[in-house]
Amino acid sequence: MPIPEDVTGEEIDKDVRQELQSLPKTLADDVAKNLVMVARLLDEDPDGAYGYSRVALRLASRVAAVREAAGFASYASQKYGEALAEFRAAKRMTGNIDLWPVMADCERGLGRPEKALDMAGAPEVHKLDKAGQVEMRLVAAGARRDMGQLDAAIVTLQSSELASNSVQPWTARLRYAYADALLAAGREDEAREWFAKAVEADRDGSTDASDRLAELDGVEFMDALGEDEGEGGEASAEEKD
């Protein structure tokens, strides 16, 4: 697959670069460039990222960072079986348990929420950092919802992290998941409160909490220009009847 001229391979994380030092320099550079493309395309073009990850995998399948990148590319492309296999391989190579929550989410993607819940109760969870434990809680709540256990999902998300007023990297997603579970359970007033709290914490727009809140408030955003607007007109918001 073609590599843009502006990609040098030097853009990758220094720890990954160190891993690649076990390879011949030319090969390491080629792998690094493909990993850069995986990272660049992962969010906007998952299938493209997947293609570059397969190239890196063919070149250096014994490098843990390559297996991890291939796992995330497969996960983003909803190829959950492949993702799980790659994450397991990376975990075997490094002994690192940071991938445990996303491995559990792959089990959900494969239609095995019970397995995800088993992983949520495994000893590995206690070895995760705070961010990893919150991520595991989100996966476990999702598994409960997969099984139709809405009340259990709500309880799963109730935690000191949810109750805290401090804003952490995971706060917006945790509040959003809680609001969404409340709404699914028909608790609309509480859901609105927590979507609003998610908006307050969502400083980088990682969720669509503001849109969900507007929907609950009956606000409809009009994309088309109104009849009386000129070329410089802006989209307006109207209250639904």
Side-chain angles (χ1 to χ4, degrees):
M1 298 181 68
I3 303 290
E5 291 184 2
D6 66 312
V7 174
T8 66
E10 296 295 330
E11 302 91 339
I12 63 172
D13 184 86
K14 63 180 181 179
D15 291 336
V16 177
R17 170 62 70 177
Q18 188 171 0
E19 275 194 67
L20 295 179
Q21 288 180 354
S22 62
L23 303 174
K25 186 178 186 311
T26 301
L27 179 59
D29 289 343
D30 287 343
V31 173
K33 290 176 182 178
N34 280 281
L35 292 181
V36 170
M37 293 305 299
V38 172
R40 180 178 288 189
L41 298 176
L42 193 61
D43 292 333
E44 296 183 0
D45 182 9
D47 290 339
Y50 176 79
Y52 283 103
S53 76
R54 303 313 290 180
V55 175
L57 199 57
R58 288 198 299 271
L59 295 173
S61 62
R62 295 184 180 182
V63 176
V66 171
R67 303 303 290 265
E68 183 173 331
F72 278 110
S74 298
Y75 178 79
S77 297
Q78 299 184 4
K79 296 176 172 65
Y80 298 114
E82 289 184 29
L84 185 57
E86 298 301 340
F87 289 142
R88 284 173 174 168
K91 180 177 177 293
R92 283 196 303 270
M93 291 175 175
T94 65
N96 194 320
I97 47 82
D98 290 349
L99 295 170
W100 195 253
V102 71
M103 290 168 63
D105 206 38
C106 286
E107 295 288 0
R108 285 186 60 212
L110 291 168
R112 301 193 293 243
E114 298 89 350
K115 178 62 176 176
L117 287 176
D118 287 343
M119 293 179 69
E124 284 84 352
V125 175
H126 300 293
K127 301 176 184 178
L128 295 169
D129 61 14
K130 180 62 69 176
Q133 290 178 4
V134 171
E135 193 65 34
M136 192 71 248
R137 188 179 293 276
L138 288 167
V139 173
R144 291 292 186 188
R145 291 189 62 172
D146 293 343
M147 299 166 68
Q149 300 174 2
L150 287 175
D151 289 340
I154 290 170
V155 171
T156 298
L157 293 168
Q158 292 171 344
S159 60
S160 59
E161 294 83 14
L162 180 68
S164 175
N165 290 323
S166 67
V167 175
Q168 302 295 334
W170 58 78
T171 303
R173 292 180 59 240
L174 184 58
R175 292 177 179 178
Y176 182 96
Y178 189 59
D180 195 45
L182 289 168
L183 188 60
R187 295 160 62 174
E188 186 171 313
D189 290 342
E190 293 171 86
R192 191 207 174 281
E193 175 187 353
W194 282 96
F195 276 127
K197 290 182 178 181
V199 171
E200 292 174 0
D202 195 359
R203 296 168 178 170
D204 58 359
S206 60
T207 74
D208 65 346
S210 60
D211 292 339
R212 300 293 299 277
L213 183 61
E215 183 180 343
L216 286 174
D217 286 343
V219 177
E220 180 180 358
F221 292 95
M222 306 298 292
D223 292 328
L225 293 176
E227 291 181 2
D228 296 331
E229 291 179 327
E231 293 183 359
E234 297 180 354
S236 61
E238 296 180 354
E239 292 279 342
K240 289 182 179 177
D241 292 334

